[in-house]
């Protein structure tokens, strides 16, 4: 019986703690010495140039569908293991559709593929999957994990970033258009320098702008350092799979990356600032947003005018008070005349302007009008404080007119129209208060193999990030292509060829099939950095077609299945579970691509308050999970239960846990039960009165197969038993009083089957 598979794969991540750095006495601080490799001699394999290997000769030549298969089969034959037979066609299309689209296929699509006996049936299926906009949605979700994407800033206030969805949509479009990966990299690192004024390119720098941000931070100099650190560490992990963050406080303990080289990488971002209010191109969404804003402004104009007049009466004192709350090093820049600003002063003042609001100025009254002991206190301020509170209360009455989603602006990282950059210093122990020496932009020598940055400033930008982007996206960079193809491989097989997908350094794992890794990397570049061609070759390989059925001989020879004699079973990711439940119920909106993030209903006990205002439009409730608002402090509960990506930092790999909360979520969640009811109605509508046909249809929708005889017998017995229980209940306690006891039992059966491992796993 296949109804329930007790197949759980727990994962554990072990973090290696690095030695503590002890501060040197004042005056003893010296420039960091060059980093030394953990072992002398040969250059680390990942820093060596990619060389295309010859496909190995194998005995079972008829099994080889693509060059990938030869590399896999050679290792299997060396161990005396045979590859598994092909998976059933229905299993294959469910697998491929989940992997390519992130949602289960329709029974009609399954039937068409199973019935297609043409010699290119597999090619037609894969080409159809890759041509769909759902492919871009699926790939975007994986990339957004790496980009630590969120629609809010995080920290205690967790402010909304109302236009960040435009970066998400850029990523979707990039994958659907098969934008060459090297160009994809360049635009995310330096889109504002590459194509200034072009929204379609500049919005790509949302990759850099996705850092968690604390608008309340009083240490602006420290905040600049933290932001630059985040960008540096993210770029190192995502594109190069290097733990460069380990070199911020000392020379890297394992890889040849010195502390000085770390801050040379930071120097590429020294002049980079977030600009979140750039006017966007106007389309239907922007027109609708502006209409809502206009309605709110018209309804609230009198109250807002009174409030502004009140704040204007103490704006000068309030602004000064607010500025004086910053630390003294930032105040030196804030109170400096503009004609004397340096590049550093410009960054600080832009930051202050960006985060200062009327509410910031009015915070002056919390001291000057509420604390008689404060030097700023005046009785008139106490009166103004009371007026301010009353006006705010009046203004909140018009919140219902405010737009709940959308924007007419976009966010980009820019250099504020200036080519000069603030200085970057090597910091002793990574301490922002202990500069050692100024450094210039540079690449880690062990990786760059002598290449130096070619920086060409423009009239409006330093050109530094373009130089970095060109190096990272170069065919000569030994890491970039290897890292990306390894990530894609991990999407399909659960593990990368190199297990530590974001650590290609000495402390990372060794590749299980280095020749295959270099073949994929070399071919990826030779194919014009085409991401779709890379996916297509993997999806059409024979190894991807293997059955996932357990084999004792393969397990004994290769317990971790590193050689892939058997296709690995993987539990669906959080988004796949939710979206597939909606699809089976016939509820999923799979026509709308992109647009502002949405707020579907959440459990009543969440207490999200103003941070989670459920959308008024019920169409938002059935959007794909990719479009659910990512609130850093209030993650969507159902996705959170099933191990959604953390948006706090680079999320390199989804780890499938098995917890009681997951089962409770699926069984007790009102929305999930509602989808089960809708699924039951769909099955009854499409299969008619015949219960055997209903069970067939249910299994076709959820599992892409029919139930076997044992399953049918078990399910029909379950129906009989539950029908009796329902009939014995008082009518008021019957959950579905308006329908027969048999139909109510069928709803519960559907809910149970939808919560089985056969549904939640990809085989």
């Amino acid at each position: 019986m296949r109804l329930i598979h007790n197949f759980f794969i727990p994962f554990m991540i072990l973090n290696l703690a690095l030695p503590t750095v002890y501060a040197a006495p004042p005056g003893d601080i010296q420039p960091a010495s060059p980093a030394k490799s953990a072992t002398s001699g040969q250059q680390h394999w990942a820093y060596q140039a990619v060389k295309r290997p010859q496909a190995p000769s194998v005995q079972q030549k008829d099994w080889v569908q693509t060059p990938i298969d030869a590399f896999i089969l050679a290792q299997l034959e060396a161990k005396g293991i045979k590859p598994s037979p092909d998976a059933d066609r229905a299993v294959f299309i469910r697998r491929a559709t989940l992997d390519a689209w992130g949602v289960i296929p329709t029974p009609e699509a399954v039937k068409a593929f199973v019935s297609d006996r043409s010699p290119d049936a597999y090619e037609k299926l894969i080409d159809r999957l890759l041509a769909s906009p759902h492919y871009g949605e699926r790939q975007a979700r994986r990339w957004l994990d790496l980009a630590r994407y969120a629609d809010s800033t995080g920290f205690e206030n967790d402010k909304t970033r109302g236009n960040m969805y435009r970066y998400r949509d850029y990523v979707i479009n990039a994958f659907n258009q098969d934008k060459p990966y090297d160009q994809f990299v360049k635009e995310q690192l330096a889109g504002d320098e590459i194509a200034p004024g072009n929204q379609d390119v500049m919005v790509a720098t949302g990759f850099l702008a996705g850092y968690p941000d604390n608008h309340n931070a009083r240490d602006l100099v420290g905040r600049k350092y933290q932001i630059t650190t985040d960008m540096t560490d993210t770029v190192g992990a995502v594109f190069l799979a290097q733990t460069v963050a380990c070199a911020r406080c000392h020379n890297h303990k394992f890889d040849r990356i010195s502390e000085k080289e770390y801050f040379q990488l930071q120097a590429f971002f020294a002049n980079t600032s977030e600009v979140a209010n750039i006017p966007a191109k106007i389309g239907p969404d922007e027109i609708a947003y502006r209409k809502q804003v206009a309605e709110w402004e018209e309804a609230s104009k009198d109250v807002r005018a009174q409030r502004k007049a009140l704040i204007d009466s103490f704006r000068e004192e309030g602004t000064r008070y607010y500025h004086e709350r910053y630390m003294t090093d930032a105040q030196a820049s804030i109170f400096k005349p503009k004609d004397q600003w340096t590049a550093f002063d410009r960054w600080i003042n832009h930051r202050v302007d960006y985060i200062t609001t009327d509410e910031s100025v009015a915070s002056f009254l919390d001291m000057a009008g509420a604390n008689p002991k404060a030097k700023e206190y005046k009785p008139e301020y106490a009166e103004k404080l009371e007026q301010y509170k009353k006006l705010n209360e009046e203004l909140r009455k018009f919140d219902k007119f405010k737009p709940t989603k959308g924007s007419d602006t976009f966010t980009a990282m820019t250099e504020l129209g200036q080519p000069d950059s603030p200085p970057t210093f090597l910091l002793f122990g990574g301490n922002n208060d202990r500069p050692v020496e100024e450094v210039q932009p540079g690449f880690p020598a062990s990786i760059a193999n002598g290449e130096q940055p070619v920086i060409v400033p423009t009239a409006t930008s330093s050109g530094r990030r373009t130089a970095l982007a060109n190096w990272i996206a170069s065919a000569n960079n030994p890491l970039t292509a290897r890292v990306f193809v390894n990530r894609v491989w991990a999407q399909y097989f659960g593990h990368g060829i190199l297990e530590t997908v974001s650590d290609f350094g000495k402390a990372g794992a060794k590749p299980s099939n280095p020749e295959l890794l270099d073949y994929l990397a070399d071919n990826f570049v030779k194919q014009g950095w085409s991401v779709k061609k890379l996916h297509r070759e993997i999806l059409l390989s024979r190894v991807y077609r293997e059955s996932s059925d357990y084999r004792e001989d393969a397990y004994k020879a290769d317990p971790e299945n590193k050689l892939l004699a058997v296709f690995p079973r993987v539990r669906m990711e959080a988004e796949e579970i939710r979206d597939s439940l909606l699809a089976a119920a016939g509820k999923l909106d799979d026509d709308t691509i992109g647009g502002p993030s949405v707020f579907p209903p959440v459990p009543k006990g969440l207490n999200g308050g103003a941070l989670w205002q459920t959308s008024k439009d019920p169409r938002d409730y059935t959007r794909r999970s990719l479009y659910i608002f990512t609130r850093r402090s209030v993650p969507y509960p159902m996705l959170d239960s099933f191990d959604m990506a953390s948006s706090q930092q680079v999320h390199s790999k989804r780890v499938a846990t098995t917890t009681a909360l997951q089962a409770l979520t699926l069984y007790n969640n009102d929305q999930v039960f509602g989808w089960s009811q809708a699924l039951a109605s769909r099955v009854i509508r499409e299969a008619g009165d015949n219960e055997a046909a209903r069970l067939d249809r249910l299994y076709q929708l959820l599992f892409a197969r029919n139930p076997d005889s044992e399953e049918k017998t078990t399910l029909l017995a379950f129906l009989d038993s539950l029908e009796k229980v329902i009939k014995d209940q008082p009518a008021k306690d019957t959950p579905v009083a308006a329908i027969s006891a048999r139909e109510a039992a069928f709803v519960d059966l559907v809910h149970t089957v939808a919560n089985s491992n056969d549904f939640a796993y990809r085989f």
Side-chain angles (χ1 to χ4, degrees):
M1 178 176 174
R2 294 188 294 171
L3 181 61
I4 302 293
H5 288 286
N6 292 317
F7 192 87
F8 302 127
I9 309 175
F11 296 96
M12 296 183 68
I13 298 178
L14 302 179
N15 294 314
L16 183 63
L18 295 177
T20 302
V21 177
Y22 295 95
D28 289 351
I29 302 175
Q30 299 295 328
S33 58
K36 295 182 179 180
S37 173
T39 59
S40 58
Q42 188 177 14
Q43 186 183 31
H44 181 52
W45 70 268
Y47 301 161
Q48 298 174 31
V50 174
K51 295 181 180 178
R52 187 182 185 92
Q54 291 292 323
S57 178
V58 294
Q59 297 175 9
Q60 195 177 335
K61 292 182 172 57
D62 59 346
W63 188 79
V64 175
Q65 190 78 20
T66 72
I68 289 173
D69 300 318
F71 290 102
I72 295 294
L73 186 58
Q75 288 194 341
L76 290 173
E77 289 181 344
K79 288 282 190 178
I81 312 172
K82 289 187 176 297
S84 291
D86 289 354
D88 176 87
R89 279 200 173 198
V91 172
F92 180 84
I93 186 175
R94 188 176 190 269
R95 174 192 301 173
T97 307
L98 277 167
D99 282 346
W101 287 4
V103 69
I104 55 175
T106 65
E108 292 70 32
V110 174
K111 183 178 179 181
F113 176 63
V114 170
S115 303
D116 186 354
R117 293 299 162 183
S118 61
D120 61 345
Y122 282 88
E123 286 80 1
K124 288 189 293 185
L125 169 64
I126 298 308
D127 288 342
R128 178 177 67 82
L129 294 176
L130 296 179
S132 167
H134 302 318
Y135 158 80
E137 291 177 314
R138 172 63 177 153
Q139 293 310 309
R141 181 60 269 170
R142 302 309 295 261
W143 187 260
L144 296 176
D145 286 8
L146 299 172
R148 75 266 189 258
Y149 174 84
D151 296 295
S152 68
T153 59
F155 290 91
E156 61 267 31
N157 286 339
D158 204 10
K159 292 182 177 294
T160 295
R161 284 173 165 160
N163 60 23
M164 205 63 187
Y165 69 90
R166 298 187 191 277
Y167 169 69
R168 178 246 290 149
D169 289 353
Y170 161 84
V171 176
I172 295 171
N173 293 333
F175 282 115
N176 278 330
Q177 296 163 5
D178 199 20
K179 186 186 291 286
Y181 182 69
D182 59 339
Q183 187 65 21
F184 184 59
V185 172
K186 292 176 183 178
E187 290 177 356
Q188 291 179 92
L189 295 179
D192 59 306
E193 292 186 332
I194 295 170
N198 185 335
Q199 175 182 332
D200 295 336
V201 178
M202 290 180 67
V203 76
T205 60
F207 173 84
L208 297 177
Y211 49 82
D213 195 8
N214 182 6
H215 287 194
N216 284 338
R218 300 292 89 191
D219 181 5
L220 291 182
V221 176
R223 187 92 279 270
K224 182 183 190 306
Y225 177 42
Q226 291 162 5
I227 290 171
T228 310
T229 295
D230 179 279
M231 290 189 288
T232 304
D233 297 353
T234 298
V235 169
V238 172
F239 299 113
L240 303 175
Q242 294 295 292
T243 55
V244 296
C246 292
R248 182 162 66 94
C249 301
H250 48 72
N251 291 345
H252 203 292
K253 298 300 181 182
F254 304 105
D255 301 326
R256 296 193 65 183
I257 302 174
S258 70
E259 186 181 5
K260 180 177 181 178
E261 288 174 323
Y262 175 83
F263 285 102
Q264 286 181 297
L265 283 175
Q266 276 212 358
F268 285 105
F269 304 102
N271 199 37
T272 307
S273 292
E274 176 186 0
V275 180
N277 59 349
I278 305 172
K281 293 185 290 187
I282 302 302
D285 287 343
E286 290 72 26
I287 291 173
Y289 173 80
R290 286 185 172 182
K291 181 180 178 182
Q292 283 188 284
V293 170
E295 290 176 0
W296 174 76
E297 289 178 341
E298 177 62 26
S300 63
K301 64 180 180 181
D302 292 339
V303 178
R304 288 188 299 107
Q306 294 176 52
R307 186 173 177 268
K308 181 180 182 302
L310 177 65
I311 295 173
D312 284 345
S313 71
F314 59 86
R315 187 174 297 278
E316 183 177 346
E317 302 96 309
T319 300
R320 172 169 288 278
Y321 173 85
Y322 185 72
H323 288 169
E324 288 173 347
R325 304 282 75 74
Y326 290 112
M327 296 183 70
T328 53
D329 50 4
Q331 289 186 42
S333 297
I334 294 169
F335 292 112
K336 183 183 292 186
K338 188 172 183 178
D339 60 2
Q340 297 177 23
W341 283 359
T342 63
F344 177 80
D345 298 327
R346 183 175 63 239
W347 192 100
I348 294 293
N349 280 282
H350 170 75
R351 170 74 180 184
V352 171
D353 289 344
Y354 167 48
I355 62 179
T356 301
T357 63
D358 274 358
E359 288 76 12
S360 307
V361 175
S363 66
F364 166 70
L365 294 178
D366 293 334
M367 181 65 70
N371 185 359
K373 295 182 180 180
K375 65 179 182 179
E376 299 89 357
Y377 179 79
K378 292 181 182 179
E380 65 184 83
Y381 289 145
E383 294 177 8
K384 291 179 187 292
L385 177 59
E386 291 306 312
Q387 294 176 41
Y388 179 71
K389 289 179 179 179
K390 290 179 181 179
L391 288 171
N392 277 343
E393 188 175 342
E394 284 296 312
L395 190 58
R396 280 192 288 271
K397 294 178 180 178
F398 299 100
D399 283 353
K400 61 184 177 181
F401 295 104
K402 282 184 176 180
T404 56
K405 62 181 180 180
S407 74
D408 58 357
T409 60
F410 71 93
T411 292
M413 300 301 281
T414 80
E415 304 205 355
L416 305 179
Q418 301 294 330
D420 57 321
S421 294
T424 299
F425 295 93
L426 186 160
L427 304 176
F428 179 78
N431 189 332
N432 194 37
D433 296 326
R434 306 188 73 179
V436 177
E437 62 174 311
E438 185 175 351
V439 298
Q440 299 302 319
F443 310 135
S446 60
I447 303 173
N449 295 310
E451 186 174 349
Q452 299 297 320
V454 178
I455 299 173
V456 182
T458 69
T460 58
S461 199
S462 70
R464 291 184 176 191
R465 283 177 290 115
T466 298
L468 177 64
N470 288 339
W471 173 66
I472 290 177
S474 168
N476 296 324
N477 190 302
L479 289 167
T480 308
R482 279 180 174 133
V483 168
F484 185 72
V485 300
N486 188 60
R487 293 192 191 281
V488 173
W489 186 267
Q491 289 181 30
Y492 289 111
F493 297 99
H495 300 269
I497 298 169
L498 185 139
E499 177 70 26
T500 51
V501 292
S502 287
D503 186 2
F504 271 52
K506 290 182 182 297
K510 293 182 179 180
S512 59
N513 198 324
E515 293 80 14
L516 173 59
L517 180 63
D518 273 13
Y519 163 75
L520 290 171
D522 178 81
N523 202 50
F524 181 45
V525 175
K526 282 186 168 60
Q527 295 269 17
W529 301 84
S530 170
V531 177
K532 279 193 177 182
K533 289 180 180 178
L534 170 64
H535 282 272
R536 187 178 192 273
E537 183 172 8
I538 293 174
L539 285 163
L540 287 174
S541 67
R542 199 68 179 272
V543 63
Y544 183 76
R545 203 181 296 183
E546 284 184 305
S547 168
S548 66
D549 290 345
Y550 175 76
R551 286 171 47 197
E552 184 70 20
D553 64 318
Y555 176 76
K556 287 182 177 179
D558 180 22
E560 296 182 33
N561 196 30
K562 289 185 176 180
L563 304 182
L564 294 175
V566 177
F567 190 81
R569 300 177 178 186
V570 179
R571 197 202 70 201
M572 288 188 203
E573 293 173 6
E575 294 86 353
E576 291 178 304
I577 291 174
R578 177 182 176 274
D579 294 350
S580 293
L581 284 170
L582 280 167
K587 296 287 188 180
L588 183 67
D589 175 3
D590 57 0
D591 295 324
T592 308
I593 308 296
S597 298
V598 300
F599 291 89
V602 292
K604 295 177 181 178
L606 181 67
N607 297 322
L611 296 179
W612 196 277
Q613 297 289 328
T614 300
S615 299
K616 297 176 183 177
D617 187 349
R619 291 175 297 181
D620 290 348
Y621 304 170
T622 56
R623 294 293 306 278
R624 287 193 61 151
S625 301
L626 174 66
Y627 302 113
I628 293 177
F629 194 97
T630 303
R631 175 77 68 187
R632 280 189 160 108
S633 63
V634 188
Y636 186 64
M638 181 178 178
L639 301 183
D640 194 35
S641 295
F642 284 93
D643 311 305
M644 67 181 287
S646 167
S647 56
Q648 302 299 333
Q649 58 188 357
V650 174
H651 196 106
S652 301
K653 181 179 179 179
R654 296 288 185 100
V655 179
T657 63
T658 302
T659 69
L661 182 60
Q662 293 165 354
L664 292 171
T665 295
L666 291 181
Y667 275 106
N668 298 327
N669 185 285
D670 289 340
Q671 275 192 294
V672 176
F673 187 72
W675 300 335
S676 294
Q677 289 176 311
L679 173 56
S681 297
R682 177 183 180 182
V683 169
I684 292 171
R685 184 173 63 252
E686 295 178 0
D689 295 332
N690 185 295
E691 288 187 337
R694 288 181 180 181
L695 295 179
D696 285 344
R697 188 59 176 171
L698 176 62
Y699 268 52
Q700 290 163 10
L701 286 164
L702 293 176
F703 308 148
R705 66 176 178 87
N706 288 330
D708 60 31
S709 58
E710 184 181 357
E711 287 172 321
K712 276 191 176 181
T713 300
T714 301
L715 292 172
L716 289 171
F718 175 83
L719 269 179
D720 293 339
S721 174
L722 190 57
E723 180 185 20
K724 183 177 183 304
V725 171
I726 292 173
K727 283 181 176 179
D728 291 342
Q729 287 178 340
K732 64 178 182 179
D733 295 330
T734 304
V736 193
I739 61 177
S740 70
R742 190 71 174 181
E743 289 175 325
F746 185 70
V747 171
D748 283 346
L749 179 147
V750 168
H751 191 51
T752 302
V753 173
N755 282 277
S756 68
N757 282 356
D758 266 27
F759 173 74
Y761 275 77
R762 182 216 64 182
F763 297 98

